[in-house]
Amino acid sequence: MTVIDRRRLLAAMPFVWAGAAMAAPRNLVDAPGFLASPFTLGVASGDPDAQGFVLWTRIAPEPLEPGGGMVAAPVLVRWEVAEDPRFRRIAQRGDTIAHPELAHSVHVEVAGLAPARPYWYRFLCGGHRSATGRAATLPLPGARLDRLSFVVAGCQHYEEGLYTAWRHIAAEPVDFVFHYGDYIYEGPDRGPHPRRIGGHVVTPIRRHIGGETYGIDQYRLRYAQYKSDPDLQAAHAAAPWFVSFDDHEVDNNWAGDRDQDGTPPALFLLRRAMAMQAYYEHMPLRARSMPVDGRMAMFRDARFGDLMHAFFLDTRQYRSDQAQGDGDLVQGPEVFSSDRTMLGQAQERWLFDGLARSEARWNLIAQQVRLMAMHYRLPGIAEPVASMDQWTGYMHSQRALLSHIAGHCPGNVMTVSGDAHRHYAGDLILDRGDGRVISSEYLATSITSGGDGVGDTDDFTRNVRRHTPAIKAMTDRRGYVLCKVSRDAFRGELKVLDTVASPGGVLSDYAVFVSERGRPGLIPA
């Protein structure tokens, strides 16, 4: 346990906390003494708007020890935001508190900055200075913006590969990163032995610490292990992020108040609440997303001038339980029932209203699971099957969304998603409609999950391409999607690595497509 100097306590001295005058707790440690840097988990910024952003760090001098090596007392942390990377022109500074109730994480909501420009930030605590991060404010809503770029990435199983993709992402000159989920995986350390994943054998590159995550301390340890990776830290420090959780931040394929094992909902909700608290503690999220009564407010939007209006969805908290017991199955009547939902009424109404009112050149739907209707054959089953965990298991919701896009904003909506551990690029066609293309989707492959993969020559890829003609590209390799948006074109670059099993993986373009505003559909570039 790191020794903290308690020689100076602030009884009730006011100080600035995230822009507001606050009274300090009586047990505040304002001058902690650390034997090593407490900023072992890096820094991050997120949820930017035209006036500011949220800054994150966690004070954890010994991140893999109980409590991160901290005593159970609040600690004073200073933050600085500058107009230049050498901090010669300080834009704002202040003090905040790292509370033990939140694992000594801090979430500073900076406001009052100039729009459409970069800023640099850092933290100071106990005589130590954090790494410097780069953030940026958004343009004012409605202001002319000619171009922007962003990365779509997620699914980063620690055991199944190195975070080489994050190192490449850190070097991309992007405006933001969208992390679609599966930031951690909840499973236990299964030892060094090879395992079969997706039809091929993967040898663990690294090992999880401990068993499956159920309690708050286990989730915190898992995040600390993942966030100790220097490549992931570099990507967080390079650009602001918009984050969403999917399933593995809690438990595989959870849906609303149900897990995949039949645990009584009241018990599963206890686990979900602890998982959500740990998620908030480790993400650059605003206070509006702090868990309350075991729930998180995660669906939100962002406006990038007049160029793009982005809608970040939550496809886990409000969905109905998977149809037909989950799995990849022939779509039965339950799949099409209007009683089942992917988004819940409130979120769906918010999304539909936002799309209908949007005046941006482009609209982006950023979410967790595949929207396009993908089918393939299984041996011994006459009809093609579809995933009950993706939108193909919630066809009433899928039809409603595509119908709304077709009726209110045709030709300027693009979707990005993840979860499937493969790159997919394809067009979105209304089920039982007239066959016309309504929109398109880029599904970003995993950062590591699935290991190196097998490319696009495997039987599963051929099977899917044969039964899903709307798919334009598909490969089982690791990487991310780089999106470049201009006033009349939306470009998607499917980036792949030749390996994540050893350092130095080489990055290349697997496929590149362009969509023209007003003409839905992917065009090879």
Side-chain angles (χ1 to χ4, degrees):
M1 181 71 69
T2 297
V3 176
I4 293 183
D5 182 1
R6 292 176 175 268
R7 67 184 182 278
R8 293 196 303 151
L9 300 180
L10 300 183
M13 183 181 297
F15 64 98
V16 176
W17 178 53
M22 302 290 291
R26 289 189 299 172
N27 62 337
L28 178 71
V29 180
D30 73 318
F34 297 110
L35 301 178
S37 173
F39 299 107
T40 56
L41 302 182
V43 299
S45 69
D47 276 10
D49 59 24
Q51 296 188 27
F53 32 72
V54 60
L55 303 179
W56 173 92
T57 194
R58 180 185 166 197
I59 306 303
E62 300 170 50
L64 303 184
E65 294 298 318
M70 293 289 292
V71 297
V75 173
L76 193 69
V77 180
R78 173 150 293 181
W79 55 271
E80 296 179 335
V81 174
E83 297 178 356
D84 66 292
R86 301 186 70 176
F87 288 81
R88 290 175 173 170
R89 299 185 303 278
I90 300 296
Q92 288 191 29
R93 59 161 54 100
D95 292 332
T96 188
I97 298 176
H99 288 279
E101 292 88 346
L102 292 175
H104 291 99
S105 64
V106 298
H107 301 74
V108 179
E109 297 189 31
V110 184
L113 300 176
R117 62 148 298 157
Y119 288 92
W120 288 263
Y121 63 93
R122 64 189 180 190
F123 297 90
L124 301 97
C125 184
H128 293 270
R129 180 182 295 161
S130 74
T132 295
R134 181 187 179 278
T137 51
L138 304 187
L140 289 169
R144 183 180 175 93
L145 182 64
D146 290 330
R147 61 188 69 253
L148 69 86
S149 62
F150 62 94
V151 157
V152 183
C155 289
Q156 51 194 56
H157 199 302
Y158 188 81
E159 296 180 315
E160 294 176 7
L162 303 175
Y163 287 169
T164 311
W166 284 125
R167 179 60 60 175
H168 285 283
I169 291 169
E172 297 275 12
V174 296
D175 295 283
F176 70 93
V177 171
F178 169 57
H179 194 293
Y180 59 71
D182 293 348
Y183 194 98
I184 63 166
Y185 279 71
E186 80 284 12
D189 169 31
R190 292 196 174 101
H193 310 293
R195 63 190 71 161
R196 181 166 290 276
I197 300 174
H200 62 284
V201 175
V202 175
T203 299
I205 306 301
R206 305 182 282 192
R207 303 270 297 278
H208 277 161
I209 297 173
E212 181 154 350
T213 54
Y214 282 95
I216 184 66
D217 290 335
Q218 293 169 307
Y219 280 110
R220 286 170 172 169
L221 176 60
R222 189 61 51 87
Y223 278 103
Q225 183 178 20
Y226 277 53
K227 293 183 79 71
S228 295
D229 185 278
D231 292 337
L232 178 57
Q233 289 187 17
H236 269 297
W241 285 33
F242 291 94
V243 299
S244 295
F245 53 69
D246 191 26
D247 54 338
H248 288 289
E249 288 88 352
V250 182
D251 184 43
N252 181 56
N253 281 20
W254 69 276
D257 61 358
R258 307 298 174 111
D259 70 2
Q260 64 177 351
D261 301 315
T263 303
L267 293 181
F268 172 67
L269 287 175
L270 294 175
R271 180 184 186 181
R272 196 186 83 170
M274 289 184 282
M276 287 184 175
Q277 177 173 335
Y279 181 79
Y280 175 79
E281 290 170 351
H282 292 87
M283 294 296 122
L285 287 165
R286 294 180 180 269
R288 66 189 178 218
S289 293
M290 180 184 289
V292 176
D293 296 329
R295 300 178 178 87
M296 290 186 74
M298 289 297 292
F299 62 86
R300 59 213 191 277
D301 66 329
R303 297 175 65 183
F304 299 82
D306 69 343
L307 183 59
M308 190 176 80
H309 194 162
F311 300 87
F312 303 97
L313 307 187
D314 175 353
T315 62
R316 286 291 166 188
Q317 277 193 96
Y318 312 104
R319 67 157 73 186
S320 305
D321 197 11
Q322 289 91 346
Q324 303 172 197
D326 203 1
D328 288 6
L329 304 164
V330 176
Q331 293 169 305
E334 184 184 0
V335 168
F336 298 90
S337 171
S338 60
D339 294 332
R340 303 182 65 259
T341 179
M342 175 63 89
L343 301 178
Q345 290 184 358
Q347 182 177 195
E348 185 176 273
R349 184 167 53 251
W350 164 83
L351 174 61
F352 286 10
D353 288 348
L355 288 172
R357 296 173 184 271
S358 174
E359 298 178 351
R361 300 284 294 178
W362 293 95
N363 293 292
L364 177 72
I365 297 175
Q367 47 103 37
Q368 294 72 48
V369 294
R370 186 174 50 236
L371 179 60
M372 72 178 75
M374 192 198 86
H375 295 85
Y376 71 100
R377 294 272 188 183
L378 284 176
I381 300 179
E383 297 182 55
V385 301
S387 170
M388 297 296 103
D389 189 57
Q390 314 289 318
W391 285 77
T392 44
Y394 300 80
M395 288 303 296
H396 179 78
S397 294
Q398 200 243 29
R399 288 173 175 174
L401 176 54
L402 294 184
S403 295
H404 185 82
I405 293 172
H408 292 86
C409 39
N412 75 343
V413 177
M414 298 292 291
T415 297
V416 294
S417 58
D419 181 65
H421 304 176
R422 293 174 183 253
H423 273 316
Y424 293 87
D427 293 330
L428 302 177
I429 300 169
L430 183 62
D431 177 66
R432 299 181 184 175
D434 57 11
R436 63 191 169 100
V437 174
I438 294 173
S439 182
S440 298
E441 178 177 27
Y442 292 106
L443 189 153
T445 188
S446 61
I447 293 290
T448 57
S449 304
D452 280 341
V454 294
D456 59 6
T457 60
D458 59 308
D459 290 339
F460 181 75
T461 300
R462 288 192 291 268
N463 190 338
V464 169
R465 294 294 297 270
R466 186 162 55 248
H467 293 95
T468 313
I471 287 181
K472 307 300 182 184
M474 174 179 170
T475 186
D476 176 24
R477 291 293 188 195
R478 310 288 71 84
Y480 55 94
V481 172
L482 174 63
C483 296
K484 299 178 180 178
V485 187
S486 63
R487 297 191 70 79
D488 295 309
F490 192 111
R491 178 184 174 96
E493 302 176 1
L494 279 59
K495 305 288 187 180
V496 293
L497 290 162
D498 62 338
T499 183
V500 293
S502 58
V506 177
L507 188 73
S508 62
D509 286 337
Y510 173 73
V512 180
F513 296 94
V514 173
S515 294
E516 299 175 355
R517 187 176 184 274
R519 298 179 59 188
L522 298 182
I523 305 169

